[in-house]
Amino acid sequence: MENRNNITEFILLGLSQQKEVEILCFLLFLLCYIAILAGNLLIMISITCSQLINQPMYFFLSFLSLSDLCYTSTVIPKLIIDLLEEKKTISYNGCMTQLFTMHFFGGIEVFILTGMAYDRYVAICKPLHYTVIMGRRRCDAMIAASCAGGFLHSFGQFLLAVFLPYCGPNEIDHYFCDVYPLLKLACTDTSRIGLLVIANSGVMGLVTFGVLLISYTVILYTIRSYPKENRNKALSTCSSHITVVVFFFAPLLFIYIRPATTLPEDKVFALFYTIVAPMLNPLIYTLRNMEMNSAINKLYHKKLY
């Protein structure tokens, strides 16, 4: 592999070439990353230190927060540091590592969101069998399957990129290493590789998004006959999950479902699933959730007194 490459490092062009814009982005993304760390750690600790960990919905939510932390930490720290650097470089090995870890934790998040949708489907459509179907062993198995699915997805992306020959130039028009920008730098025909990327990332995202839409359509149809109070509670829970799904999947599908090309808008859309969605997840799941608010308050008073 190495004898086919003349590249030992890549230059990341980043979000902007203007220093004033970069300083503004540095301050903004630093605050966003602090919010992501604080919000997701708060959710994880509040759930783990309370009885909510025994409920499948919150069990999945704690792992979603963990995957958010790992996922964003593969991209944002490097982005923040690069915004203060004159020359933004990343080694070849560092680039491939970032590509693998980002898709690994991103894939886990996609499958956990699917698992959460299944949990809501069982809770609303089959309430009498909920405790039997969503036992702890099944929840553990779903988390293990999410990790396995994320690994297979990321390993596929990694193989597509790592065996390509890179002869120069070495400038990546992005703020992190991803498959499509790397395909532009490969000194070989990448049309077939591009189709494999679409099959891996695009089709996986589209199928998962379709499954999520179908599950929530069935849920909304089912709760029509519920009493108003129960219907409002179900809608409140599902609306939080739907909001997270839309914020995460919409920009993801925009980038990966089309042919293997890069557009200037890609960097802006990538900000939604690498920064915006992970930052909003804690707010979405806590602001309208009385059980989460209660767990956070109990944790706060326990530490205070």
Side-chain angles (χ1 to χ4, degrees):
M1 178 180 65
E2 291 183 358
N3 58 7
R4 301 172 63 202
N5 292 334
N6 298 326
I7 302 298
T8 58
E9 68 175 16
F10 295 101
I11 298 174
L12 298 169
L13 298 183
L15 292 169
S16 174
Q17 303 299 316
Q18 299 180 13
K19 200 60 184 176
E20 297 80 5
V21 176
E22 288 187 325
I23 293 174
L24 180 62
C25 289
F26 167 80
L27 295 173
L28 177 61
F29 295 150
L30 179 61
L31 292 175
C32 289
Y33 189 52
I34 292 173
I36 290 170
L37 292 176
N40 285 290
L41 282 173
L42 181 61
I43 285 181
M44 290 170 57
I45 295 171
S46 300
I47 292 175
T48 305
C49 297
S50 69
Q51 295 298 317
L52 293 180
I53 191 66
N54 297 319
Q55 299 183 35
M57 183 177 76
Y58 297 103
F59 176 77
F60 289 128
L61 180 57
S62 65
F63 276 96
L64 180 68
S65 295
L66 177 60
S67 65
D68 268 339
L69 282 177
C70 298
Y71 176 64
T72 54
S73 295
T74 63
V75 177
I76 302 181
K78 171 67 175 169
L79 169 62
I80 292 173
I81 294 171
D82 283 346
L83 288 169
L84 298 179
E85 299 287 343
E86 289 294 331
K87 188 177 181 182
K88 307 167 181 56
T89 61
I90 184 170
S91 66
Y92 176 85
N93 291 333
C95 182
M96 295 303 159
T97 301
Q98 186 183 59
L99 170 70
F100 177 83
T101 54
M102 189 194 75
H103 281 276
F104 174 59
F105 292 115
I108 291 175
E109 184 160 351
V110 167
F111 292 119
I112 288 178
L113 287 171
T114 308
M116 294 176 73
Y118 177 73
D119 171 68
R120 291 300 86 204
Y121 165 77
V122 176
I124 293 173
C125 300
K126 298 183 179 181
L128 298 179
H129 302 91
Y130 179 72
T131 55
V132 176
I133 296 175
M134 297 303 298
R136 177 48 63 93
R137 290 184 62 182
R138 173 158 294 188
C139 292
D140 291 338
M142 290 171 69
I143 293 296
S146 298
C147 294
F151 176 80
L152 291 175
H153 161 69
S154 63
F155 190 63
Q157 297 288 77
F158 175 76
L159 288 179
L160 293 177
V162 76
F163 286 112
L164 289 174
Y166 302 99
C167 313
N170 65 337
E171 291 185 342
I172 297 177
D173 189 15
H174 217 306
Y175 61 89
F176 63 88
C177 287
D178 204 1
V179 180
Y180 280 169
L182 286 172
L183 290 183
K184 288 184 65 176
L185 302 183
C187 47
T188 186
D189 181 24
T190 59
S191 56
R192 293 183 179 179
I193 303 294
L195 293 176
L196 293 176
V197 174
I198 295 173
N200 189 352
S201 292
V203 174
M204 184 193 79
L206 186 61
V207 170
T208 306
F209 188 59
V211 170
L212 291 170
L213 287 181
I214 292 172
S215 65
Y216 280 107
T217 301
V218 174
I219 289 172
L220 292 175
Y221 180 81
T222 303
I223 64 176
R224 291 188 313 161
S225 58
Y226 277 28
K228 184 177 180 180
E229 183 178 348
N230 293 346
R231 185 169 65 248
N232 290 338
K233 183 178 179 181
L235 283 173
S236 177
T237 303
C238 293
S239 63
S240 299
H241 195 189
I242 292 171
T243 304
V244 170
V245 167
V246 170
F247 268 109
F248 189 80
F249 276 92
L252 200 69
L253 292 176
F254 173 81
I255 291 176
Y256 290 109
I257 202 62
R258 66 170 192 262
T261 57
T262 57
L263 300 174
E265 296 84 3
D266 286 353
K267 289 186 277 189
V268 178
F269 278 95
L271 289 174
F272 277 90
Y273 60 81
T274 56
I275 298 179
V276 177
M279 183 179 64
L280 292 180
N281 283 358
L283 293 175
I284 292 170
Y285 279 113
T286 56
L287 285 180
R288 298 177 61 187
N289 192 310
M290 296 301 295
E291 290 180 311
M292 273 303 307
N293 288 329
S294 176
I296 292 172
N297 288 332
K298 287 180 180 178
L299 178 67
Y300 173 76
H301 288 293
K302 184 179 179 180
K303 295 297 181 182
L304 188 63
Y305 297 109

